[in-house]
Amino acid sequence: MGVKLGILGLGTVGTGTVQLIQDHAGRHPLLQDVEIYRVGVRSLDKTRAVNLPESVLTTDLKAIVTDPQVDIVVEVIGGLEPARSLILKAIEHGKHVVTANKAVISRFGDEIFTAANKAGVYVMLEAAVGGGIPVIQPLKQSLSVNRIHAVTGIVNGTTNYILTRMQTEGSSFDDVLADAQRLGYAEADPTADVDGLDAADKISILASLAFAGRIKLQDVYCEGIRQVSKTDIAYADKLGFVIKLLAIAKQNSLPPSPHPPISPSSSPLSVRVHPTLVPKAHPLASINGVYNAILVEGEPIRQVMFFGPGAGAGPTASAVSSDILHLVATLKSSTATPNPLLTCGHQDYCQIAPIEELVTRFYARFLTKDQPGVIGKLGTCFGKYGVSLESVVQTGFQGELAEIVVVTHDVREGDFRQALAEIRTLEAVDSIPSLLRVL
Ligand code: HSE
């Protein structure tokens, strides 16, 4: 007998998933055991890109998640509500769940996985991060014997597309965003993408898997790309970097003296999203356009990078369907004990360090009066707070003002910001238009 799916939503991802399951020739034979039993839609009148019997479509989504016949609920409606409530209701009724919903999982993962564990059902989310790129199951299963040190990703295609075009065309953020919206690469309301919120959802999920604990989304530091200017992209290029929006989850480095080391036993994580100068030789530097990539570093694997399409109907349907297949295989096997490689058994929250404790290199651009001794004054302020400079360049002017760019060695962010606060008070300093972290 077939395993019955109740699919919530027939938008881009839902349609792609139905198409993939219906067109099963040449794919895994278990797909033939999947029955598309119910599909919940907002309106029955719309013309659809898939052929489904009328009896399968319904506008009553609640009836799907409570239907005793349904084995697996596939939530692909997106957004917070009613997605969260429907997932919880499905779990309450003993359904396994497949979801592509990073926003719900990053905010309500605790509630959802606690309910799922209690009900003895699985919640699968391969499509929630990286679209078609398999990264959730690799972290949960294939890489789970490693001690993970860092997960660093380009996990938002829209911002990577915008930054790539700014880099190759020398265009401004506003111009590329407007064009990306016209071409359909960016949403009419681009906030979630360009302000880094979508990437923050995704890195909180990856961090939870990599570091075996729950993550509070509000602890994830988040900066978007609106302030990245073509001037900075050009300077970064001259200095040997490209600017990427990185989502990073990492075991924090110990701060340099004179600050006391963070207790290794508490070993807090740094989980953050921000535009970053990436050395051109780094594997993430060459990920361009709408593509996503996730670099996982650990012991003993060292480095492994996942690369591919981070969105789109076909790629996301591939991820959703692989979760469905996992569940079909599990339902068809006879064991009564949950598979620990498919559940989320995290009990505790990870300790996330505040951004001031981050130890990183910085890039900063200053506009100053063109007078003797200005670079010396900057150097004195930096020295006072233990900030060591890797390079200082003064190549241009903006009107009457000299433009000075510095790249630091590793420094505690809190110390660097104190130095900047003092530099801002210098009479010769007009402004600090850019401040970016360097990988
Ligand atoms: N809006 C996302 C992006 C795709 O631009 O990558 C969906 O996660």
Side-chain angles (χ1 to χ4, degrees):
M1 232 176 53
V3 172
K4 291 186 166 59
L5 296 190
I7 302 179
L8 308 177
L10 200 49
T12 307
V13 180
T15 301
T17 303
V18 169
Q19 283 170 337
L20 192 154
I21 292 169
Q22 288 181 333
D23 177 21
H24 51 70
R27 310 191 199 280
H28 197 289
L30 264 185
L31 273 182
Q32 292 165 40
D33 292 355
V34 176
E35 181 187 344
I36 299 171
Y37 177 75
R38 287 282 179 274
V39 179
V41 292
R42 205 175 298 158
S43 157
L44 294 174
D45 301 329
K46 215 171 146 183
T47 316
R48 307 276 168 194
V50 283
N51 278 330
L52 286 166
E54 257 177 43
S55 58
V56 168
L57 293 178
T58 174
T59 54
D60 189 350
L61 276 62
K62 200 169 159 212
I64 296 180
V65 299
T66 56
D67 186 333
Q69 293 293 312
V70 170
D71 300 298
I72 301 171
V73 166
V74 181
E75 184 278 303
V76 282
I77 45 180
L80 295 182
E81 285 294 353
R84 169 187 156 273
S85 302
L86 289 166
I87 290 172
L88 287 168
K89 186 64 84 186
I91 292 169
E92 190 189 317
H93 282 77
K95 320 290 180 206
H96 299 291
V97 174
V98 173
T99 178
N101 198 323
K102 70 239 154 191
V104 161
I105 294 297
S106 61
R107 283 161 189 77
F108 304 108
D110 193 349
E111 183 183 28
I112 287 169
F113 288 113
T114 302
N117 293 343
K118 197 166 149 219
V121 297
Y122 299 115
V123 176
M124 309 286 284
L125 53 136
E126 187 60 72
V129 182
I133 304 172
V135 65
I136 302 289
Q137 287 310 321
L139 278 172
K140 278 179 98 161
Q141 301 192 17
S142 330
L143 295 172
S144 60
V145 295
N146 286 269
R147 287 193 196 101
I148 306 293
H149 305 144
V151 178
T152 310
I154 293 172
V155 290
N156 183 269
T158 305
T159 45
N160 203 43
Y161 173 84
I162 292 173
L163 290 173
T164 302
R165 281 195 54 190
M166 287 173 73
Q167 169 94 32
T168 50
E169 296 165 14
S171 313
S172 73
F173 170 79
D174 289 331
D175 287 348
V176 177
L177 173 62
D179 204 42
Q181 286 173 314
R182 193 180 57 77
L183 295 168
Y185 285 107
E187 306 270 353
D189 176 2
T191 311
D193 293 317
V194 302
D195 291 335
L197 311 173
D198 171 80
D201 288 349
K202 291 168 177 169
I203 195 64
S204 78
I205 293 171
L206 295 179
S208 173
L209 294 169
F211 298 104
R214 294 193 170 155
I215 304 284
K216 291 198 180 97
L217 187 60
Q218 64 267 30
D219 289 343
V220 178
Y221 178 84
C222 183
E223 246 177 60
I225 63 162
R226 287 184 201 267
Q227 84 286 11
V228 176
S229 68
K230 57 183 183 184
T231 310
D232 294 314
I233 288 182
Y235 271 117
D237 184 51
K238 274 189 208 149
L239 292 163
F241 299 97
V242 291
I243 298 183
K244 296 286 183 192
L245 182 71
L246 294 190
I248 303 172
K250 195 172 181 180
Q251 216 100 51
N252 243 8
S253 324
L254 298 180
S257 65
H259 292 271
I262 296 164
S263 155
S265 58
S266 56
S267 169
L269 299 177
S270 143
V271 187
R272 50 202 162 93
V273 172
H274 50 70
T276 312
L277 273 73
V278 180
K280 285 180 184 170
H282 190 280
L284 287 168
S286 53
I287 308 303
N288 288 323
V290 292
Y291 283 97
N292 283 195
I294 299 112
L295 177 71
V296 180
E297 293 168 273
E299 181 274 320
I301 187 79
R302 300 210 292 261
Q303 290 192 326
V304 58
M305 192 161 93
F306 301 86
F307 164 78
T316 313
S318 162
V320 168
S321 305
S322 77
D323 279 347
I324 293 170
L325 214 64
H326 258 101
L327 292 175
V328 172
T330 306
L331 286 168
K332 288 191 163 279
S333 60
S334 54
T335 172
T337 324
N339 179 341
L341 293 177
L342 297 185
T343 55
C344 171
H346 301 152
Q347 302 293 330
D348 301 316
Y349 277 88
C350 292
Q351 196 195 343
I352 313 283
I355 196 74
E356 293 74 28
E357 295 302 329
L358 174 68
V359 176
T360 182
R361 290 191 290 163
F362 279 95
Y363 158 102
R365 181 160 58 90
F366 301 87
L367 290 178
T368 72
K369 291 186 180 155
D370 188 25
Q371 319 180 316
V374 175
I375 289 184
K377 283 179 190 154
L378 294 182
T380 306
C381 278
F382 281 136
K384 188 169 159 190
Y385 293 95
V387 182
S388 164
L389 299 182
E390 186 179 290
S391 56
V392 181
V393 246
Q394 179 183 351
T395 54
F397 284 86
Q398 298 233 354
E400 297 286 287
L401 297 169
E403 196 163 44
I404 300 170
V405 167
V406 304
V407 175
T408 72
H409 286 294
D410 268 349
V411 56
R412 184 180 161 275
E413 176 145 351
D415 294 345
F416 185 63
R417 288 197 179 270
Q418 271 188 288
L420 289 185
E422 193 162 320
I423 286 169
R424 278 196 186 91
T425 66
L426 295 176
E427 193 267 330
V429 172
D430 176 82
S431 59
I432 310 175
S434 309
L435 178 62
L436 294 163
R437 295 168 192 84
V438 179
L439 196 62

